[in-house]
Every structure is written in structure tokens, then in C-alpha cells.
Amino acid sequence: METAVTTELESATMGFWDAMSCGILVSTTGRPEGPYTDTAEQRLVDNLDGSLFVEDDGTVYFIYKDGMIAPLNEDLSGFAGPFRSLYAAEGLPVGFEGCSILKHNGKYYLTSATYNQSYDENGNLSTTYDSMIAVSDNLMGPYSETRLLLRNGGHNNLFVDKEGNVWTTLFAPTGNLGFNCQPAIVRLTEDERGVLMVK
């Protein structure tokens, strides 16, 4: 089963099959509509929420779980190096699932989802499923402190459109944004420090 998120690499388009097992499909035509073929006969990792990041030198990295990252080999069928963990300044993961990385204007933005608890104005404790973000000048870090990117918008991917605008996907699994588990995007803006935030 292919998810809706794809990443273009040269003439191929890659997606993930079976979100609980992290595999990669490559378009045999170079078009998003496929058809697709598996890069490997078995799962890359026994976990969930895989995503891809392509560095400027063409190296493709596989990211999953709470910030585990490793380079893929040339045919994307396995790994060309060991996994490393990406951490925020606190020495903790940015979140616990749904990690992705965007490189924009020379900076690396690492996002991940986590549950946060807070009190409202009436003193009631609520739990939200949020998108958290940290930024670095280097892919492997060190990354900045973790901050909130999007309340109730956890489990997302950042992308840049043809006009250079930054967006994030989300699917709002808690229903707190007025919809539940439906694909959506929201525009982000960038301040003078390079901090991304909801526009």
C-alpha cells in the first residue's frame, strides 16, 4: 500500500508501501502515477513512518521512528552505512514518530510528532498531538532546542513549492482542527532568524 507522500529523485518517484514496515517503491516510468516496483524483497526496517531525504550530493537518507537516520545504497535496496540518532539541543529526540527532514536556505529542519499536555484557561488538562521542529546547519546536527511548529498537526512533512514557499502536510488524527485523519497542507512562513512557523 503506497502512501500519498512521494519524493522525487532524478527520474524516479519513490513512495512507501505498508506504512508499518517501511519499504520503498520506485516508479518505473519516472511519473507519480507509476507503475511502481519494489527496491527490495523485504522490509528495510521492522518499524513504521519511514521518510526519505536527498542531500545536495545525491546521497539518499532513510529516516524513521524518532530520528533514526542512515544512508541508502545506490539502488535503494539497503543501507550504505549505520544508523545514527538525531537529537535536539536538550539531548532528547524531537518527537517519537513521523520524522522528516527539509533542507531550505542552507538549514536543515527536522520535524517529528509527539503528544503534549497543557492546561487551558479553565485549568483543564488537555492532550494534543503536535508537530515539533528543530533546526541545524548540518544534517547530523547539532540541532537547536525543540519548539512547537503546529498544535494538533503532528505527523507531517515539509516541502517547498515551485515559487519557493514552504508548506507542511498534516492529517490531524485527534480531530481538534475540525477534521480527522484527512490529508491537508498549511503554509509556513520564515522569520529573519530562519525560524519556520505557521503563516
Side-chain angles (χ1 to χ4, degrees):
M1 179 178 68
E2 185 197 351
T3 67
V5 177
T6 58
T7 301
E8 289 189 12
L9 174 63
E10 296 178 354
S11 62
T13 302
M14 296 169 290
F16 290 94
W17 53 269
D18 189 352
M20 295 301 290
S21 58
C22 288
I24 299 177
L25 298 175
V26 177
S27 172
T28 59
T29 62
R31 298 191 305 268
E33 61 268 25
Y36 286 80
T37 184
D38 293 328
T39 64
E41 296 181 358
Q42 58 187 7
R43 302 167 178 172
L44 291 175
V45 294
D46 267 327
N47 214 288
L48 71 165
D49 298 341
S51 65
L52 301 177
F53 171 75
V54 183
E55 186 53 288
D56 294 340
D57 64 2
T59 302
V60 183
Y61 290 87
F62 185 88
I63 308 105
Y64 79 106
K65 200 177 174 184
D66 59 357
M68 303 292 292
I69 184 169
L72 287 161
N73 59 23
E74 189 171 339
D75 64 5
L76 311 179
S77 63
F79 299 104
F83 274 96
R84 294 178 57 178
S85 294
L86 302 178
Y87 295 108
E90 310 93 301
L92 299 172
V94 175
F96 77 94
E97 67 177 6
C99 279
S100 67
I101 296 174
L102 170 73
K103 188 175 184 181
H104 178 61
N105 291 337
K107 293 185 179 294
Y108 297 85
Y109 295 90
L110 171 64
T111 63
S112 187
T114 196
Y115 288 100
N116 289 313
Q117 290 188 319
S118 60
Y119 290 94
D120 63 20
E121 62 275 5
N122 298 316
N124 300 313
L125 183 65
S126 65
T127 301
T128 53
Y129 185 67
D130 304 329
S131 172
M132 309 302 290
I133 191 168
V135 63
S136 176
D137 293 326
N138 298 288
L139 175 60
M140 297 301 173
Y143 280 83
S144 68
E145 69 283 353
T146 301
R147 66 171 184 82
L148 176 69
L149 176 64
L150 185 60
R151 181 77 68 195
N152 295 305
H155 215 298
N156 54 349
N157 288 273
L158 306 180
F159 67 94
V160 181
D161 67 20
K162 292 181 179 179
E163 285 73 44
N165 303 307
V166 182
W167 299 76
T168 182
T169 62
L170 66 140
F171 73 113
T174 61
N176 292 339
L177 292 179
F179 58 92
N180 193 339
C181 295
Q182 295 175 335
I185 60 172
V186 64
R187 172 89 175 270
L188 301 178
T189 188
E190 182 179 358
D191 69 11
E192 66 279 358
R193 301 167 297 167
V195 175
L196 292 175
M197 61 191 72
V198 176
K199 183 175 176 63

